[in-house]
Amino acid sequence: MTTSFIETCIRLIVLRCDSYLKENGIEDSFQDFPGLSQMAYGASDEDLRHWSRVLKTIDESLSSERDGKRIQDELNISEYRYFSLASLLGGGEIMQSLLDLLIANHSYPEFGAYLTRHFGYSVNLHLACLMEGKSFPREEEILEKYKAAGRICQIDFGHSPYQYDELIIDDRIMGYLMGNDDLNPLIADFVDIFRPGEGTGLHAPFLYENLIEEGSLFFGNAFKSKGTDDGKGPVIQISGHGGRRFLAKHMATRVGMPFLFVHLTSFLQEAGQEHFNELKGAILREAWLSRAGICFYEIADSISAKTEGPENRSLRLRERSILERRLFLPIWKEGIPLILCADSSAPLMNLPAFSSFLRLELPEKIEYEDRLKLWQGFSECYGLELDAESYALRYHMNASEISEVI
């Protein structure tokens, strides 16, 4: 019986470390690591042939950008997700070796001790270059590869030089590799993922079909023209009250893209100053793994003061600027589609004029005819008998409030 492709990747990268050390005068690098030695030499000829076939498929796919469905049909789930992670890292021999090193280090803690003993550090970009016998890239290439590593690792731009910064993957990445799609526990309390399709509980829109259509076309056009402008992600800001997340989910459904819905107030409370970058990184990695956009909601609770006045306006502007710089802009720069659900119509991002940014505003007041559509629509949706005309006349509610009442 053959072992898995992933296990063979681990065994071979460990043997490559041993081979490198032999070339540099260390004959028995496994002397104090018998468990690692036993694992490394456990691959059969059939394991190696299977590994070679899968790797050929992956290498050809990365270089030719073959249709994703065809690749998925040729590989099992772990192999396909290995391909996906290699794609996120940008492909290439160095980054593929980095991926193997990261998987081995997470799977066998003894390997981390082995690396520290013989190399003086654990997994980093420098070690990946050594495995490939490559001279280290120029400074701009180092930064590019370090940023790419951040798609599956927590990185810290405060550390320098980047090529020696220790890189690790967490349980979420290994779970993804093995076919687990559960959200990272770090963010599960304030993030939900919406996947378009059956079972979403998303009913037809009773109002604002024009806004859904406008937002969907905007996203669709942005995806088609990617690479022709600034290369950054499209942003939609939905302002006003009553059904903003509902509209966002319909837009996601129209373009066929999952979205992470992040409760901003809870995120900020959980993150504070100490864990802000860690949790932001976890959200970004989740978006990369799921090929998802990101929607932040409950923004107003985080950046609006309850009373007016110059001091409070100054506070709002300062907090809005911090959110833009530390949270929204990093997502935009990664090219991830972004939806911002806000009470205020004031723009939450100050983007270049050529950027893809769309503001959609819900009306402050819903007229009788539209309220009637909502009461009728919701009552039919939930199989209730009520006098829709009477309710629409008496209660001046928005879509979210009527939904909650129903």
Side-chain angles (χ1 to χ4, degrees), residues 372-398:
L372 180 59
K373 290 178 184 177
L374 290 169
W375 283 106
Q376 288 174 334
F378 280 120
S379 61
E380 290 173 5
C381 183
Y382 291 100
L384 299 177
E385 294 184 8
L386 52 81
D387 186 349
E389 293 181 359
S390 175
Y391 279 97
L393 187 63
R394 293 170 60 191
Y395 300 111
H396 292 245
M397 297 179 181
N398 63 41

PDB file of all heavy atoms in Angstrom, residues 372-398:
ATOM      1  N   LEU A 372     -44.910  47.819   1.656  1.00  0.00           N
ATOM      2  CA  LEU A 372     -45.929  46.823   1.340  1.00  0.00           C
ATOM      3  C   LEU A 372     -45.287  45.601   0.671  1.00  0.00           C
ATOM      4  O   LEU A 372     -45.611  44.450   1.009  1.00  0.00           O
ATOM      5  CB  LEU A 372     -46.993  47.424   0.421  1.00  0.00           C
ATOM      6  CG  LEU A 372     -48.134  46.499  -0.005  1.00  0.00           C
ATOM      7  CD1 LEU A 372     -48.887  45.982   1.213  1.00  0.00           C
ATOM      8  CD2 LEU A 372     -49.079  47.222  -0.971  1.00  0.00           C
ATOM      9  N   LYS A 373     -44.352  45.833  -0.248  1.00  0.00           N
ATOM     10  CA  LYS A 373     -43.649  44.713  -0.897  1.00  0.00           C
ATOM     11  C   LYS A 373     -42.916  43.862   0.137  1.00  0.00           C
ATOM     12  O   LYS A 373     -42.885  42.626   0.050  1.00  0.00           O
ATOM     13  CB  LYS A 373     -42.645  45.246  -1.917  1.00  0.00           C
ATOM     14  CG  LYS A 373     -43.267  45.860  -3.155  1.00  0.00           C
ATOM     15  CD  LYS A 373     -42.169  46.398  -4.076  1.00  0.00           C
ATOM     16  CE  LYS A 373     -42.764  47.106  -5.278  1.00  0.00           C
ATOM     17  NZ  LYS A 373     -41.702  47.696  -6.142  1.00  0.00           N
ATOM     18  N   LEU A 374     -42.314  44.525   1.128  1.00  0.00           N
ATOM     19  CA  LEU A 374     -41.564  43.797   2.152  1.00  0.00           C
ATOM     20  C   LEU A 374     -42.490  42.952   3.022  1.00  0.00           C
ATOM     21  O   LEU A 374     -42.223  41.774   3.268  1.00  0.00           O
ATOM     22  CB  LEU A 374     -40.768  44.783   3.018  1.00  0.00           C
ATOM     23  CG  LEU A 374     -39.583  45.472   2.336  1.00  0.00           C
ATOM     24  CD1 LEU A 374     -39.056  46.604   3.207  1.00  0.00           C
ATOM     25  CD2 LEU A 374     -38.477  44.459   2.064  1.00  0.00           C
ATOM     26  N   TRP A 375     -43.602  43.557   3.502  1.00  0.00           N
ATOM     27  CA  TRP A 375     -44.524  42.797   4.340  1.00  0.00           C
ATOM     28  C   TRP A 375     -45.131  41.624   3.572  1.00  0.00           C
ATOM     29  O   TRP A 375     -45.249  40.506   4.090  1.00  0.00           O
ATOM     30  CB  TRP A 375     -45.635  43.710   4.883  1.00  0.00           C
ATOM     31  CG  TRP A 375     -45.193  44.584   6.014  1.00  0.00           C
ATOM     32  CD1 TRP A 375     -44.942  45.927   5.966  1.00  0.00           C
ATOM     33  CD2 TRP A 375     -44.924  44.182   7.355  1.00  0.00           C
ATOM     34  NE1 TRP A 375     -44.541  46.386   7.196  1.00  0.00           N
ATOM     35  CE2 TRP A 375     -44.520  45.335   8.070  1.00  0.00           C
ATOM     36  CE3 TRP A 375     -44.985  42.961   8.033  1.00  0.00           C
ATOM     37  CZ2 TRP A 375     -44.180  45.302   9.422  1.00  0.00           C
ATOM     38  CZ3 TRP A 375     -44.654  42.924   9.376  1.00  0.00           C
ATOM     39  CH2 TRP A 375     -44.254  44.081  10.049  1.00  0.00           C
ATOM     40  N   GLN A 376     -45.507  41.864   2.323  1.00  0.00           N
ATOM     41  CA  GLN A 376     -46.072  40.788   1.518  1.00  0.00           C
ATOM     42  C   GLN A 376     -45.031  39.699   1.243  1.00  0.00           C
ATOM     43  O   GLN A 376     -45.319  38.503   1.359  1.00  0.00           O
ATOM     44  CB  GLN A 376     -46.591  41.363   0.191  1.00  0.00           C
ATOM     45  CG  GLN A 376     -47.843  42.198   0.330  1.00  0.00           C
ATOM     46  CD  GLN A 376     -48.248  42.870  -0.971  1.00  0.00           C
ATOM     47  OE1 GLN A 376     -47.407  43.120  -1.848  1.00  0.00           O
ATOM     48  NE2 GLN A 376     -49.531  43.167  -1.115  1.00  0.00           N
ATOM     49  N   GLY A 377     -43.846  40.125   0.888  1.00  0.00           N
ATOM     50  CA  GLY A 377     -42.789  39.171   0.559  1.00  0.00           C
ATOM     51  C   GLY A 377     -42.406  38.299   1.741  1.00  0.00           C
ATOM     52  O   GLY A 377     -42.318  37.067   1.611  1.00  0.00           O
ATOM     53  N   PHE A 378     -42.208  38.929   2.900  1.00  0.00           N
ATOM     54  CA  PHE A 378     -41.802  38.153   4.073  1.00  0.00           C
ATOM     55  C   PHE A 378     -42.925  37.236   4.555  1.00  0.00           C
ATOM     56  O   PHE A 378     -42.667  36.099   4.983  1.00  0.00           O
ATOM     57  CB  PHE A 378     -41.371  39.084   5.211  1.00  0.00           C
ATOM     58  CG  PHE A 378     -39.977  39.614   5.060  1.00  0.00           C
ATOM     59  CD1 PHE A 378     -39.739  40.978   4.979  1.00  0.00           C
ATOM     60  CD2 PHE A 378     -38.891  38.760   5.000  1.00  0.00           C
ATOM     61  CE1 PHE A 378     -38.456  41.477   4.838  1.00  0.00           C
ATOM     62  CE2 PHE A 378     -37.607  39.237   4.861  1.00  0.00           C
ATOM     63  CZ  PHE A 378     -37.382  40.597   4.773  1.00  0.00           C
ATOM     64  N   SER A 379     -44.164  37.717   4.511  1.00  0.00           N
ATOM     65  CA  SER A 379     -45.277  36.881   4.977  1.00  0.00           C
ATOM     66  C   SER A 379     -45.444  35.659   4.070  1.00  0.00           C
ATOM     67  O   SER A 379     -45.691  34.541   4.551  1.00  0.00           O
ATOM     68  CB  SER A 379     -46.575  37.690   5.021  1.00  0.00           C
ATOM     69  OG  SER A 379     -46.915  38.163   3.724  1.00  0.00           O
ATOM     70  N   GLU A 380     -45.275  35.828   2.755  1.00  0.00           N
ATOM     71  CA  GLU A 380     -45.354  34.689   1.834  1.00  0.00           C
ATOM     72  C   GLU A 380     -44.158  33.751   2.038  1.00  0.00           C
ATOM     73  O   GLU A 380     -44.298  32.529   1.991  1.00  0.00           O
ATOM     74  CB  GLU A 380     -45.382  35.196   0.390  1.00  0.00           C
ATOM     75  CG  GLU A 380     -46.675  35.909   0.027  1.00  0.00           C
ATOM     76  CD  GLU A 380     -46.611  36.551  -1.349  1.00  0.00           C
ATOM     77  OE1 GLU A 380     -45.577  36.336  -2.046  1.00  0.00           O
ATOM     78  OE2 GLU A 380     -47.558  37.264  -1.716  1.00  0.00           O
ATOM     79  N   CYS A 381     -42.990  34.351   2.268  1.00  0.00           N
ATOM     80  CA  CYS A 381     -41.773  33.558   2.438  1.00  0.00           C
ATOM     81  C   CYS A 381     -41.887  32.617   3.641  1.00  0.00           C
ATOM     82  O   CYS A 381     -41.445  31.466   3.592  1.00  0.00           O
ATOM     83  CB  CYS A 381     -40.584  34.497   2.601  1.00  0.00           C
ATOM     84  SG  CYS A 381     -38.986  33.667   2.724  1.00  0.00           S
ATOM     85  N   TYR A 382     -42.520  33.102   4.728  1.00  0.00           N
ATOM     86  CA  TYR A 382     -42.624  32.305   5.950  1.00  0.00           C
ATOM     87  C   TYR A 382     -44.013  31.689   6.147  1.00  0.00           C
ATOM     88  O   TYR A 382     -44.294  31.114   7.207  1.00  0.00           O
ATOM     89  CB  TYR A 382     -42.263  33.165   7.164  1.00  0.00           C
ATOM     90  CG  TYR A 382     -40.793  33.540   7.198  1.00  0.00           C
ATOM     91  CD1 TYR A 382     -40.373  34.791   6.780  1.00  0.00           C
ATOM     92  CD2 TYR A 382     -39.834  32.617   7.616  1.00  0.00           C
ATOM     93  CE1 TYR A 382     -39.026  35.135   6.789  1.00  0.00           C
ATOM     94  CE2 TYR A 382     -38.490  32.954   7.628  1.00  0.00           C
ATOM     95  CZ  TYR A 382     -38.086  34.216   7.212  1.00  0.00           C
ATOM     96  OH  TYR A 382     -36.753  34.542   7.214  1.00  0.00           O
ATOM     97  N   GLY A 383     -44.875  31.819   5.133  1.00  0.00           N
ATOM     98  CA  GLY A 383     -46.186  31.174   5.194  1.00  0.00           C
ATOM     99  C   GLY A 383     -47.095  31.752   6.257  1.00  0.00           C
ATOM    100  O   GLY A 383     -47.837  31.016   6.913  1.00  0.00           O
ATOM    101  N   LEU A 384     -47.060  33.073   6.446  1.00  0.00           N
ATOM    102  CA  LEU A 384     -47.894  33.717   7.471  1.00  0.00           C
ATOM    103  C   LEU A 384     -49.064  34.454   6.815  1.00  0.00           C
ATOM    104  O   LEU A 384     -48.931  34.987   5.702  1.00  0.00           O
ATOM    105  CB  LEU A 384     -47.064  34.710   8.279  1.00  0.00           C
ATOM    106  CG  LEU A 384     -45.871  34.142   9.052  1.00  0.00           C
ATOM    107  CD1 LEU A 384     -45.117  35.272   9.747  1.00  0.00           C
ATOM    108  CD2 LEU A 384     -46.330  33.121  10.082  1.00  0.00           C
ATOM    109  N   GLU A 385     -50.176  34.472   7.514  1.00  0.00           N
ATOM    110  CA  GLU A 385     -51.326  35.255   7.044  1.00  0.00           C
ATOM    111  C   GLU A 385     -51.421  36.525   7.869  1.00  0.00           C
ATOM    112  O   GLU A 385     -51.617  36.484   9.079  1.00  0.00           O
ATOM    113  CB  GLU A 385     -52.619  34.441   7.185  1.00  0.00           C
ATOM    114  CG  GLU A 385     -52.668  33.229   6.268  1.00  0.00           C
ATOM    115  CD  GLU A 385     -53.996  32.503   6.365  1.00  0.00           C
ATOM    116  OE1 GLU A 385     -54.912  33.040   7.030  1.00  0.00           O
ATOM    117  OE2 GLU A 385     -54.120  31.417   5.780  1.00  0.00           O
ATOM    118  N   LEU A 386     -51.246  37.663   7.206  1.00  0.00           N
ATOM    119  CA  LEU A 386     -51.367  38.943   7.911  1.00  0.00           C
ATOM    120  C   LEU A 386     -51.837  40.007   6.927  1.00  0.00           C
ATOM    121  O   LEU A 386     -51.762  39.841   5.697  1.00  0.00           O
ATOM    122  CB  LEU A 386     -50.034  39.341   8.554  1.00  0.00           C
ATOM    123  CG  LEU A 386     -48.753  39.360   7.704  1.00  0.00           C
ATOM    124  CD1 LEU A 386     -48.661  40.640   6.897  1.00  0.00           C
ATOM    125  CD2 LEU A 386     -47.530  39.236   8.605  1.00  0.00           C
ATOM    126  N   ASP A 387     -52.323  41.093   7.480  1.00  0.00           N
ATOM    127  CA  ASP A 387     -52.815  42.209   6.672  1.00  0.00           C
ATOM    128  C   ASP A 387     -51.623  43.097   6.317  1.00  0.00           C
ATOM    129  O   ASP A 387     -51.288  44.043   7.033  1.00  0.00           O
ATOM    130  CB  ASP A 387     -53.863  42.988   7.474  1.00  0.00           C
ATOM    131  CG  ASP A 387     -54.523  44.079   6.640  1.00  0.00           C
ATOM    132  OD1 ASP A 387     -54.018  44.362   5.533  1.00  0.00           O
ATOM    133  OD2 ASP A 387     -55.508  44.663   7.112  1.00  0.00           O
ATOM    134  N   ALA A 388     -50.970  42.759   5.196  1.00  0.00           N
ATOM    135  CA  ALA A 388     -49.753  43.469   4.798  1.00  0.00           C
ATOM    136  C   ALA A 388     -50.011  44.961   4.613  1.00  0.00           C
ATOM    137  O   ALA A 388     -49.177  45.802   4.983  1.00  0.00           O
ATOM    138  CB  ALA A 388     -49.192  42.854   3.522  1.00  0.00           C
ATOM    139  N   GLU A 389     -51.148  45.317   4.056  1.00  0.00           N
ATOM    140  CA  GLU A 389     -51.447  46.732   3.806  1.00  0.00           C
ATOM    141  C   GLU A 389     -51.518  47.510   5.111  1.00  0.00           C
ATOM    142  O   GLU A 389     -51.011  48.627   5.222  1.00  0.00           O
ATOM    143  CB  GLU A 389     -52.753  46.860   3.031  1.00  0.00           C
ATOM    144  CG  GLU A 389     -52.668  46.308   1.619  1.00  0.00           C
ATOM    145  CD  GLU A 389     -53.978  46.477   0.867  1.00  0.00           C
ATOM    146  OE1 GLU A 389     -54.943  47.015   1.464  1.00  0.00           O
ATOM    147  OE2 GLU A 389     -54.046  46.088  -0.314  1.00  0.00           O
ATOM    148  N   SER A 390     -52.146  46.910   6.103  1.00  0.00           N
ATOM    149  CA  SER A 390     -52.279  47.581   7.399  1.00  0.00           C
ATOM    150  C   SER A 390     -50.921  47.774   8.069  1.00  0.00           C
ATOM    151  O   SER A 390     -50.604  48.860   8.575  1.00  0.00           O
ATOM    152  CB  SER A 390     -53.202  46.763   8.306  1.00  0.00           C
ATOM    153  OG  SER A 390     -53.247  47.334   9.598  1.00  0.00           O
ATOM    154  N   TYR A 391     -50.099  46.719   8.051  1.00  0.00           N
ATOM    155  CA  TYR A 391     -48.775  46.813   8.666  1.00  0.00           C
ATOM    156  C   TYR A 391     -47.909  47.855   7.942  1.00  0.00           C
ATOM    157  O   TYR A 391     -47.189  48.629   8.568  1.00  0.00           O
ATOM    158  CB  TYR A 391     -48.084  45.450   8.650  1.00  0.00           C
ATOM    159  CG  TYR A 391     -48.527  44.523   9.756  1.00  0.00           C
ATOM    160  CD1 TYR A 391     -49.501  43.563   9.541  1.00  0.00           C
ATOM    161  CD2 TYR A 391     -47.957  44.622  11.027  1.00  0.00           C
ATOM    162  CE1 TYR A 391     -49.914  42.717  10.552  1.00  0.00           C
ATOM    163  CE2 TYR A 391     -48.355  43.779  12.053  1.00  0.00           C
ATOM    164  CZ  TYR A 391     -49.340  42.830  11.810  1.00  0.00           C
ATOM    165  OH  TYR A 391     -49.739  41.994  12.825  1.00  0.00           O
ATOM    166  N   ALA A 392     -47.979  47.832   6.613  1.00  0.00           N
ATOM    167  CA  ALA A 392     -47.169  48.771   5.832  1.00  0.00           C
ATOM    168  C   ALA A 392     -47.586  50.209   6.098  1.00  0.00           C
ATOM    169  O   ALA A 392     -46.749  51.123   6.095  1.00  0.00           O
ATOM    170  CB  ALA A 392     -47.293  48.447   4.349  1.00  0.00           C
ATOM    171  N   LEU A 393     -48.863  50.418   6.351  1.00  0.00           N
ATOM    172  CA  LEU A 393     -49.359  51.771   6.604  1.00  0.00           C
ATOM    173  C   LEU A 393     -48.978  52.246   8.005  1.00  0.00           C
ATOM    174  O   LEU A 393     -48.607  53.402   8.205  1.00  0.00           O
ATOM    175  CB  LEU A 393     -50.889  51.775   6.444  1.00  0.00           C
ATOM    176  CG  LEU A 393     -51.576  53.137   6.517  1.00  0.00           C
ATOM    177  CD1 LEU A 393     -51.120  54.025   5.377  1.00  0.00           C
ATOM    178  CD2 LEU A 393     -53.094  52.963   6.493  1.00  0.00           C
ATOM    179  N   ARG A 394     -49.038  51.344   8.973  1.00  0.00           N
ATOM    180  CA  ARG A 394     -48.845  51.735  10.380  1.00  0.00           C
ATOM    181  C   ARG A 394     -47.376  51.811  10.789  1.00  0.00           C
ATOM    182  O   ARG A 394     -47.000  52.650  11.607  1.00  0.00           O
ATOM    183  CB  ARG A 394     -49.569  50.732  11.284  1.00  0.00           C
ATOM    184  CG  ARG A 394     -51.079  50.773  11.166  1.00  0.00           C
ATOM    185  CD  ARG A 394     -51.704  49.600  11.890  1.00  0.00           C
ATOM    186  NE  ARG A 394     -51.381  49.586  13.311  1.00  0.00           N
ATOM    187  CZ  ARG A 394     -51.624  48.561  14.119  1.00  0.00           C
ATOM    188  NH1 ARG A 394     -52.175  47.466  13.629  1.00  0.00           N
ATOM    189  NH2 ARG A 394     -51.316  48.634  15.391  1.00  0.00           N
ATOM    190  N   TYR A 395     -46.535  50.930  10.242  1.00  0.00           N
ATOM    191  CA  TYR A 395     -45.161  50.818  10.746  1.00  0.00           C
ATOM    192  C   TYR A 395     -44.138  51.232   9.692  1.00  0.00           C
ATOM    193  O   TYR A 395     -44.056  50.640   8.617  1.00  0.00           O
ATOM    194  CB  TYR A 395     -44.878  49.370  11.190  1.00  0.00           C
ATOM    195  CG  TYR A 395     -45.798  48.901  12.278  1.00  0.00           C
ATOM    196  CD1 TYR A 395     -46.764  47.925  12.034  1.00  0.00           C
ATOM    197  CD2 TYR A 395     -45.725  49.457  13.560  1.00  0.00           C
ATOM    198  CE1 TYR A 395     -47.621  47.503  13.032  1.00  0.00           C
ATOM    199  CE2 TYR A 395     -46.573  49.032  14.564  1.00  0.00           C
ATOM    200  CZ  TYR A 395     -47.519  48.064  14.302  1.00  0.00           C
ATOM    201  OH  TYR A 395     -48.369  47.654  15.295  1.00  0.00           O
ATOM    202  N   HIS A 396     -43.380  52.249  10.019  1.00  0.00           N
ATOM    203  CA  HIS A 396     -42.353  52.769   9.109  1.00  0.00           C
ATOM    204  C   HIS A 396     -41.012  52.109   9.458  1.00  0.00           C
ATOM    205  O   HIS A 396     -40.159  52.708  10.114  1.00  0.00           O
ATOM    206  CB  HIS A 396     -42.273  54.299   9.237  1.00  0.00           C
ATOM    207  CG  HIS A 396     -43.490  54.990   8.716  1.00  0.00           C
ATOM    208  ND1 HIS A 396     -43.452  55.822   7.621  1.00  0.00           N
ATOM    209  CD2 HIS A 396     -44.798  54.934   9.114  1.00  0.00           C
ATOM    210  CE1 HIS A 396     -44.680  56.274   7.378  1.00  0.00           C
ATOM    211  NE2 HIS A 396     -45.507  55.746   8.280  1.00  0.00           N
ATOM    212  N   MET A 397     -40.866  50.876   9.016  1.00  0.00           N
ATOM    213  CA  MET A 397     -39.666  50.095   9.315  1.00  0.00           C
ATOM    214  C   MET A 397     -38.859  49.859   8.041  1.00  0.00           C
ATOM    215  O   MET A 397     -39.391  49.894   6.933  1.00  0.00           O
ATOM    216  CB  MET A 397     -40.048  48.725   9.897  1.00  0.00           C
ATOM    217  CG  MET A 397     -40.791  48.769  11.211  1.00  0.00           C
ATOM    218  SD  MET A 397     -41.174  47.076  11.736  1.00  0.00           S
ATOM    219  CE  MET A 397     -42.060  47.398  13.255  1.00  0.00           C
ATOM    220  N   ASN A 398     -37.552  49.576   8.243  1.00  0.00           N
ATOM    221  CA  ASN A 398     -36.737  49.187   7.096  1.00  0.00           C
ATOM    222  C   ASN A 398     -36.789  47.669   6.923  1.00  0.00           C
ATOM    223  O   ASN A 398     -37.434  46.959   7.704  1.00  0.00           O
ATOM    224  CB  ASN A 398     -35.296  49.706   7.232  1.00  0.00           C
ATOM    225  CG  ASN A 398     -34.573  49.122   8.437  1.00  0.00           C
ATOM    226  OD1 ASN A 398     -34.698  47.939   8.737  1.00  0.00           O
ATOM    227  ND2 ASN A 398     -33.815  49.967   9.141  1.00  0.00           N
TER     228      ASN A 398
END
